[in-house]
Amino acid sequence: MKTAIFCDFDGTVTRRDVGYSIFHHFSGGKNDELLPDWKAGRMTTRECLTREAAMVRASTDELYRFIDLFELDAGFLEFARLCRKNDIPLMIASDGLDFYIRHILGKYDLGHLMLPTNVGRAENGGLTVEFPHRNRSCPRCGTCKGERIEQFREDHGGRHSVVFVGDGYSDACAAHRADIIFAKKDLERYCQAGKIAYLKFDTFDDVSRQLIQMNHLER
Ligand SMILES: [Mg+2]
Ligand SMILES: [Zn+2]
């Protein structure tokens, strides 16, 4: 069995959640009103992101200066190198916005790892969002990570053992589709509540170490 790895971006590849921080910072914290409904599944991700984006007041320059403050998980570059060396597909599946992911990964020449996701546009002192990726069965997500995993399995004849690494509720659909789950924070709570087996991690050094022990990766 081959291995394939899907990673969440916000709060996983980056230490802090970039999308949340943009909405929080540039809405004066107003976006927080929406999150309890979203976390409880009473509001879809599409509605939540659309309403959060409408609260943003920022110039394009201000947005990019803010985005430049975010750092990658200290173990991620080495993790990406190990995947490349072991010929293991590594894909970043996000239900955030494409422009900041592309901007941050581009600094490290890792833009090619990113799967298509929701489109965010900084314009006219604000932010707009579009959802070009129809989910076939998921009513909740903007771009469903569970469906990305399904699609990958279909395209590759189900020959892969799928690893998923994530930290939040937007990873819920992926947690039901992956074979091995690395979880922290809200995703860890979600797995515990749903009795889904997972491995704990804090940084990608933990993920690398455990995948080496399990013979999915070689140093
Ligand atoms: Mg996340
Ligand atoms: Zn979904």
Side-chain angles (χ1 to χ4, degrees):
M1 202 86 169
K2 296 178 179 179
T3 305
I5 303 176
F6 288 76
C7 295
D8 165 54
F9 183 77
D10 285 271
T12 301
V13 171
T14 54
R15 283 301 283 177
R16 293 175 56 219
D17 187 320
V18 185
Y20 168 79
S21 302
I22 290 174
F23 292 134
H24 187 80
H25 185 77
F26 292 107
S27 74
K30 269 201 303 182
N31 72 319
D32 284 353
E33 299 163 6
L34 303 173
L35 299 184
D37 278 348
W38 176 73
K39 286 192 178 186
R42 291 187 295 267
M43 185 187 291
T44 66
T45 301
R46 289 180 186 222
E47 181 181 355
C48 189
L49 288 176
T50 302
R51 289 174 64 176
E52 285 184 296
M55 293 173 174
V56 168
R57 290 287 162 267
S59 69
T60 306
D61 267 9
E62 285 173 318
L63 276 171
Y64 280 93
R65 272 205 302 277
F66 187 73
I67 294 166
D68 275 332
L69 300 174
F70 291 85
E71 289 170 2
L72 297 191
D73 177 292
F76 185 72
L77 293 179
E78 172 63 7
F79 180 72
R81 192 191 67 78
L82 279 178
C83 289
R84 211 162 44 238
K85 184 184 157 200
N86 285 267
D87 211 10
I88 288 175
L90 170 62
M91 292 156 280
I92 296 178
S94 173
D95 205 2
L97 304 178
D98 63 344
F99 73 100
Y100 63 76
I101 302 172
R102 191 176 300 117
H103 181 77
I104 293 171
L105 290 178
K107 292 193 217 176
Y108 305 93
D109 274 335
L110 293 175
H112 58 281
L113 300 183
M114 177 185 171
L115 296 177
T117 184
N118 312 318
V119 174
R121 281 201 189 83
E123 54 193 9
N124 305 323
L127 198 53
T128 56
V129 196
E130 283 168 31
F131 304 95
H133 306 289
R134 290 268 164 278
N135 297 331
R136 286 179 296 184
S137 58
C138 177
R140 176 180 159 84
C141 302
T143 300
C144 182
K145 303 177 195 189
E147 293 197 5
R148 296 287 92 79
I149 292 173
E150 289 290 285
Q151 187 69 52
F152 181 88
R153 288 193 197 277
E154 277 176 32
D155 293 348
H156 295 83
R159 292 190 305 271
H160 290 77
S161 175
V162 172
V163 176
F164 184 83
V165 188
D167 78 324
Y169 286 114
S170 71
D171 303 318
C173 294
H176 291 281
R177 303 299 206 331
D179 300 301
I180 299 169
I181 299 155
F182 287 90
K184 62 179 170 181
K185 299 182 183 170
D186 282 346
L187 182 60
E188 179 172 18
R189 285 187 274 278
Y190 180 84
C191 289
Q192 285 172 347
K195 302 208 179 344
I196 298 170
Y198 68 95
L199 300 164
K200 268 176 100 71
F201 82 106
D202 177 35
T203 72
F204 272 93
D205 290 337
D206 304 324
V207 178
S208 298
R209 186 170 28 78
Q210 292 182 76
L211 287 177
I212 289 166
Q213 280 168 3
M214 295 157 76
N215 293 319
H216 286 276
L217 281 179
E218 270 177 46
R219 208 168 274 293

